[in-house]
């Protein structure tokens, strides 16, 4: 595979308001490097509604349209149409939405845009909960996780929604998973998405130190363990049917991933076994999809 050079340009400046060790801040930095300056970004209500800074100042060096929680896909469709009417077919339109604004509240607008095959890149910054409003459960929250709406005595009982399967079933041109633990892979996938027309979807895992109850210095390590434990496998789906799975040579038990996070500290050995079996089932389902 061709080696990816990390661009020197920085489209995320100083003074943003992210927490220490915020996975989303590192994710945004690399994403903006790959997208380039000729990008208009739509940001529905999320942590990144706040992180760029207070108006009229912004740490992001591209135009941003702040949108309602439910309207990421619809707003991006409108921005793309307006640019096309002006004759600007070069500028990239991208959405940066959280899992709440993608898996839950924004799913209808995203699904409609994907059905129309609107020409934009939709990036789901998945920190597995409504972190901007106090760590509430979303449908991206994993099984057994503590949140403020799933207390330790009654943690989340069902697995995380499979958003990649939902997007693949729209038969969009391109969908991929990525994480900051593998920055060259992230850059390659966004650059590939830029070369494709139609709806492109990037599912980007971004650990949240306060919400996941982890030390800020472990963000990258935990991102890597998410991949190695197969909690978050790296793969691509083209046209809804062609799967490319990046096999991880150093597979570890899910316990290695969960034990570093305070949101799972209440889990028993029995819970760990259930979680491991769920990961194995999910992995087998992905392999079957890839085989057709």
């Amino acid at each position: 595979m061709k080696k990816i050079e990390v661009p020197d340009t920085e489209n995320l400046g100083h003074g943003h308001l992210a927490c220490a060790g915020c996975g989303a801040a590192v994710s945004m930095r690399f994403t903006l490097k790959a997208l380039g300056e000729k990008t208009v970004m739509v940001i529905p209500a999320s942590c990144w509604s706040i992180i760029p800074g207070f108006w009229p100042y912004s740490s992001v060096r591209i135009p941003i349209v702040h949108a309602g929680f439910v309207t990421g896909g619809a707003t991006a469709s409108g921005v793309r149409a307006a640019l096309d009417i002006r004759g600007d077919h070069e500028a990239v339109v991208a959405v940066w939405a959280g899992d709440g604004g993608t898996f839950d509240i924004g799913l209808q607008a995203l699904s409609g845009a994907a059905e129309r095959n609107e020409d934009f890149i939709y990036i789901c910054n998945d920190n597995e909960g409504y972190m901007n409003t106090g760590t509430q459960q979303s449908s991206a929250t994993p099984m057994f996780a503590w949140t403020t709406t799933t207390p330790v005595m009654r943690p989340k009982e069902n697995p995380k929604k499979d958003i990649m399967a939902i997007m693949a079933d729209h038969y969009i041109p391109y969908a991929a998973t990525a994480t900051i633990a593998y920055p060259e892979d992230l850059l390659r996938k966004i650059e590939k998405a830029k070369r494709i027309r139609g709806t492109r979807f990037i599912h980007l895992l971004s650990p949240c130190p306060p919400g996941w109850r982890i030390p800020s210095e472990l963000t990258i390590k935990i991102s890597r363990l998410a991949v190695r434990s197969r909690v978050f496998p790296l793969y691509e789906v083209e046209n809804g049917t062609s799967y490319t799975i990046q096999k991880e040579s150093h597979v570890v038990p899910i316990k290695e991933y969960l034990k570093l996070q305070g949101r799972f500290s209440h889990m028993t050995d029995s819970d760990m076994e259930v979680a491991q079996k769920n990961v194995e089932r999910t992995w087998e389902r992905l392999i079957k999809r890839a085989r057709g």
Side-chain angles (χ1 to χ4, degrees), residues 48-261:
W48 268 94
S49 298
I50 307 300
I51 290 173
F54 298 107
W55 188 87
Y57 306 104
S58 176
S59 57
V60 179
R61 295 168 179 164
I62 61 170
I64 290 178
V65 179
H66 287 286
F69 222 147
V70 302
T71 64
T75 302
S77 300
V79 171
R80 179 75 270 165
L83 290 170
D84 288 345
I85 289 170
R86 293 176 58 182
D88 186 350
H89 306 294
E90 185 179 1
V92 176
V93 176
V95 180
W96 180 281
D99 50 279
T102 303
F103 286 63
D104 299 337
I105 295 173
L107 184 59
Q108 181 178 5
L110 171 58
S111 178
E115 173 69 19
R116 299 188 301 272
N117 198 26
E118 297 283 0
D119 188 17
F120 59 71
I121 301 173
Y122 192 107
I123 300 160
C124 174
N125 173 65
D126 181 7
N127 54 27
E128 300 188 326
Y130 289 87
M131 302 308 182
N132 190 45
T133 52
T135 320
Q136 296 91 358
Q137 172 191 327
S138 79
S139 59
T141 302
M143 182 187 290
F144 294 118
W146 167 91
T147 70
T148 55
T149 50
T150 51
V152 169
M153 297 303 294
R154 193 169 181 178
K156 189 165 185 272
E157 298 173 348
N158 55 309
K160 178 174 181 171
K161 182 186 288 183
D162 191 347
I163 193 68
M164 282 289 289
I166 292 171
M167 297 311 297
D169 283 347
H170 283 76
Y171 297 98
I172 59 175
Y174 185 70
T177 61
T179 175
I180 52 175
Y182 300 84
E184 290 185 354
D185 176 70
L186 168 59
L187 290 168
R188 179 184 65 81
K189 287 172 177 173
I190 293 177
E191 289 177 1
K192 181 175 180 177
K194 285 174 64 178
R195 297 191 297 268
I196 299 170
R197 298 276 68 84
T199 304
R200 296 87 86 197
F201 182 81
I202 306 292
H203 184 191
L204 181 51
L205 186 69
S206 294
C208 171
W212 292 21
R213 294 185 167 184
I214 59 174
S216 58
E217 67 271 17
L218 292 185
T219 301
I220 304 298
K221 180 177 181 178
I222 285 175
S223 298
R224 186 173 294 110
L225 285 171
V227 176
R228 288 182 172 175
S229 63
R230 292 178 173 166
V231 167
F232 192 81
L234 298 178
Y235 64 101
E236 300 166 273
V237 189
E238 297 183 62
N239 301 310
T241 57
S242 178
Y243 282 70
T244 303
I245 303 173
Q246 293 149 255
K247 298 293 179 65
E248 176 58 54
S249 59
H250 186 64
V251 179
V252 301
I254 192 175
K255 185 176 182 179
E256 298 302 308
Y257 170 70
L258 299 178
K259 70 182 183 181
L260 298 178
Q261 304 174 55

